[in-house]
Amino acid sequence: LADWNATEVDYGQPEPVHRRFERQAAAHPEREALVFGDRCLSYAEFDQAANRLAHALIGQGVARNSLVGVAAERSVEMVLALYAIQKAGAAYVPIDPEHPEARQQQVLMDAGVDVLLTHDAVVNRLPALGDLPVINLDQLDVSDQLASAPDIELHPEQRAYVIYTSGSTGKPKGVANTHAALFNRLQWMQAAYELGEGDVVLQKTPYSFDVSVWEFFWPLMVGARLVVAPPGDHKDPAKLTALIEQERVTTLHFVPSMLSAFLTQDDLTGCASLRRIVCSGEALPKDLQDEALRRLPQAKLYNLYGPTEAAIDVTHWTCGQEERTTVPIGRPIGNLQIQILDSRLNPQPVGVPGELYIGGAGLAQGYHGRPDLTAERFIPNPFKPGERLYRSGDLARWCADGTIEYLGRLDHQIKLRGLRIELGEIEAVLREAAQVTDAVVIARNEQLIGYVQGSQADTEALKVALKQHLPDYMVPTHIVALDAFPLSANGKLDRKALPDPELGTADYEAPQTDTERTLAALWQE
Ligand code: AMP
């Protein structure tokens, strides 16, 4: 086990990754850095624009260690904001405009951002912000700001970004990640996958997920081109294919569910430029792996594993190197260690399932403003005094060759189409409602089903309440009101005995008009 964790590698002195970008900009100012729609910025143009914005932010009081919110759609301004915030010495907090107002507000309040950056596309959709200073980047004139980088000393242990994930007690929690951890993760990725100047990386992951962090920063550290997909296009396989073909994208990320949707297209000839497909976020099924390797043979396929709490990814696997029955999550990346432990923190022998713990250079500072939760999940490392281990809640086991197999979750956190959901967070919203004495949410056949105890509960009203508090993907497809929850012999909730929702069939009415008859016939077919 010690050998498998001997991952020490010297990636150089940790530094904020935007410094690497600045050196690229100085060395190759004319090269194309950022493409969005018909806009294209060279390395020099992008660097100078980010510098100007950084100086403007500093002028507004943003300082080392500030937190700055960003509420934006994918755009040039969004990427500029992320770089400028770091250049100003601060850390960014994505406030996803796709999320309901109540959740945006919750995140803003919890993070206590000093200022919120936004732009025309979302400024009218923002929640009530009280006296929080807001800067609309489309209206901000930075032309009189300095074009050179602000002279800010950043410590590697300072925060680079704070990303909120679903929290089991009903409130999203902010994970504060450091520059040192991000540096290590991106240096590993570069050493492993060798992005070159001729490469083109597609940015399509919503910026409230940490996968987006490598998409934003890795390409510009090494002189490659960053192509930002238009808002919404990440969900549309045909549009993605067209963009890949047009921009000759070489490198992109898919959560496995989206890779599967992508591969339903008959014609992938437009994807000839693809060289690297990086999967992560949920288990990569073997059949999907095989199909991807078969249909896109010119591209390498990678399976990465990791939580937001450990700077994006902590293990890696290159698919198709050898015949296996499942796709493993592979081995720890540089300077990270994986421990698979029993409930007393003893290492499990090879082949025996246990909880996966993460140690080393990737660990987050912890949860923003939550020392209690941080202490619970980031525990003292029993094998390396003075260091910490992050307790992932994932079940895994070592294989005999030192690779790791992912086996599932130990708690009620789930992944639905790659999105991380604490079922407890949905339950907390349901429990708030009138007439509801208890609530439980389960995932069955890729759908969320919410059960409330209290037969008087108004399930339609519950759905409305859920939509006000939670992003769409967390709102259960069905809500079922029960008199009482089924219990097992020892008095615990018997999840398996929860009834399937009755799919209310509306009273039958025969089709009336020609159009209705044609439609009905089509559906019957
Ligand atoms: P997130 O913080 O959104 O990245 O979610 C982290 C969780 O996603 C992990 O704790 C795992 O449960 C799951 N996960 C991430 N990557 C993988 C993978 N390659 N295979 C299986 N599960 C994964």
Side-chain angles (χ1 to χ4, degrees):
L1 294 178
D3 280 352
W4 292 338
N5 271 321
T7 58
E8 290 74 18
V9 22
D10 184 1
Y11 293 132
Q13 191 61 31
E15 62 177 342
V17 294
H18 65 263
R19 297 269 187 260
R20 300 245 145 168
F21 157 68
E22 287 167 356
R23 289 204 288 279
Q24 290 291 341
H28 315 282
E30 302 302 328
R31 190 176 288 162
E32 289 183 7
L34 184 71
V35 176
F36 176 74
D38 48 19
R39 282 178 77 184
C40 175
L41 276 71
S42 70
Y43 269 76
E45 285 165 342
F46 182 72
D47 190 35
Q48 289 170 12
N51 288 339
R52 288 200 165 94
L53 179 53
H55 284 293
L57 294 179
I58 293 166
Q60 300 273 341
V62 170
R64 272 181 63 169
N65 248 331
S66 301
L67 291 183
V68 178
V70 180
E73 287 183 343
R74 268 198 300 277
S75 55
V76 171
E77 285 64 39
M78 172 199 268
V79 191
L80 276 175
L82 305 186
Y83 274 76
I85 289 167
Q86 302 208 331
K87 280 169 176 272
Y92 72 86
V93 187
I95 309 292
D96 196 329
E98 298 288 307
H99 288 174
E101 284 189 7
R103 192 183 181 87
Q104 294 181 36
Q105 242 160 357
Q106 226 172 14
V107 170
L108 281 167
M109 297 267 289
D110 188 84
V113 300
D114 295 331
V115 49
L116 180 65
L117 306 188
T118 186
H119 61 158
D120 285 345
V122 300
V123 71
N124 295 325
R125 286 190 271 151
L126 293 176
L129 296 167
D131 47 13
L132 177 68
V134 176
I135 299 176
N136 181 340
L137 297 174
D138 287 330
Q139 309 296 333
L140 183 72
D141 180 8
V142 294
S143 53
D144 57 351
Q145 302 285 348
L146 283 174
S148 56
D151 183 15
I152 302 272
E153 281 279 327
L154 268 164
H155 193 281
E157 292 304 323
Q158 269 179 246
R159 298 171 296 198
Y161 61 94
V162 177
I163 283 186
Y164 277 76
T165 70
S166 184
S168 59
T169 52
K171 238 180 85 177
K173 48 189 195 267
V175 184
N177 280 283
T178 65
H179 285 284
L182 180 59
F183 173 84
N184 187 75
R185 168 63 180 70
L186 295 185
Q187 291 289 83
W188 164 78
M189 196 172 204
Q190 179 57 17
Y193 303 152
E194 298 181 319
L195 204 63
E197 293 167 0
D199 274 303
V200 180
V201 177
L202 183 61
Q203 201 294 305
K204 70 177 182 64
T205 305
Y207 71 145
S208 47
F209 297 106
D210 67 349
V211 167
S212 65
V213 180
W214 71 250
E215 295 174 336
F216 286 123
F217 291 99
W218 180 34
L220 299 192
M221 281 169 76
V222 300
R225 203 155 60 102
L226 174 60
V227 172
V228 177
D233 280 15
H234 59 285
K235 297 179 196 157
D236 186 331
K239 286 190 177 152
L240 285 178
T241 307
L243 192 58
I244 290 167
E245 179 164 20
Q246 184 190 327
E247 298 296 341
R248 296 180 309 283
V249 170
T250 65
T251 306
L252 87 173
H253 176 272
F254 279 116
V255 290
S257 315
M258 188 60 201
L259 176 62
S260 175
F262 188 76
L263 292 180
T264 58
Q265 300 177 101
D266 291 333
D267 183 7
L268 295 177
T269 42
C271 299
S273 57
L274 282 184
R275 292 291 172 271
R276 301 174 196 82
I277 299 174
V278 182
C279 277
S280 71
E282 61 186 353
L284 177 60
K286 162 96 164 84
D287 289 352
L288 180 58
Q289 167 203 275
D290 293 348
E291 199 195 342
L293 291 172
R294 189 173 58 77
R295 305 248 349 249
L296 296 164
Q298 78 289 0
K300 290 233 163 126
L301 179 67
Y302 305 105
N303 184 26
L304 304 187
Y305 157 88
T308 308
E309 286 85 343
I312 319 175
D313 300 297
V314 296
T315 71
H316 69 111
W317 174 251
T318 303
C319 296
Q321 291 167 311
E322 51 187 89
E323 197 44 48
R324 297 177 72 121
T325 50
T326 60
V327 186
I329 56 172
R331 304 166 192 276
I333 69 168
N335 299 318
L336 271 95
Q337 289 85 43
I338 300 294
Q339 306 286 349
I340 295 177
L341 307 178
D342 70 10
S343 58
R344 296 178 177 185
L345 303 184
N346 293 308
Q348 295 288 42
V350 170
V352 180
E355 182 163 1
L356 188 152
Y357 288 73
I358 302 162
L363 294 204
Q365 272 184 355
Y367 299 109
H368 178 69
R370 296 293 307 275
D372 51 341
L373 202 57
T374 303
E376 201 180 299
R377 307 298 298 202
F378 294 82
I379 62 165
N381 185 338
F383 313 104
K384 281 198 181 171
E387 297 192 11
R388 299 177 303 158
L389 287 181
Y390 172 68
R391 183 171 189 181
S392 71
D394 287 319
L395 190 69
R397 68 175 166 214
W398 290 106
C399 304
D401 63 352
T403 58
I404 300 164
E405 228 172 59
Y406 175 84
L407 300 170
R409 287 294 299 176
L410 286 154
D411 56 15
H412 299 310
Q413 177 185 305
I414 61 151
K415 281 280 172 130
L416 206 60
R417 294 179 289 281
L419 302 165
R420 173 168 159 177
I421 299 173
E422 287 284 358
L423 296 175
E425 187 172 354
I426 309 170
E427 290 163 1
V429 176
L430 291 172
R431 285 203 191 96
E432 291 279 298
Q435 316 286 358
V436 171
T437 55
D438 200 359
V440 59
V441 177
I442 64 167
R444 210 177 259 174
N445 305 329
E446 293 284 295
Q447 285 194 335
L448 292 174
I449 310 173
Y451 296 89
V452 293
Q453 191 164 264
S455 51
Q456 301 301 313
D458 176 349
T459 53
E460 286 310 310
L462 284 171
K463 280 204 176 174
V464 173
L466 287 163
K467 285 197 178 126
Q468 279 166 359
H469 287 90
L470 302 172
D472 282 353
Y473 64 86
M474 290 180 72
V475 176
T477 322
H478 307 287
I479 305 279
V480 182
L482 300 172
D483 280 333
F485 285 163
L487 301 179
S488 64
N490 59 12
K492 287 190 192 174
L493 172 70
D494 187 353
R495 286 170 184 266
K496 291 207 179 66
L498 288 164
D500 277 329
E502 285 171 33
L503 304 181
T505 38
D507 291 340
Y508 179 75
E509 246 180 70
Q512 312 280 320
T513 62
D514 278 352
T515 313
E516 283 184 15
R517 272 188 290 273
T518 310
L519 261 178
L522 276 170
W523 282 107
Q524 276 166 351
E525 238 175 69

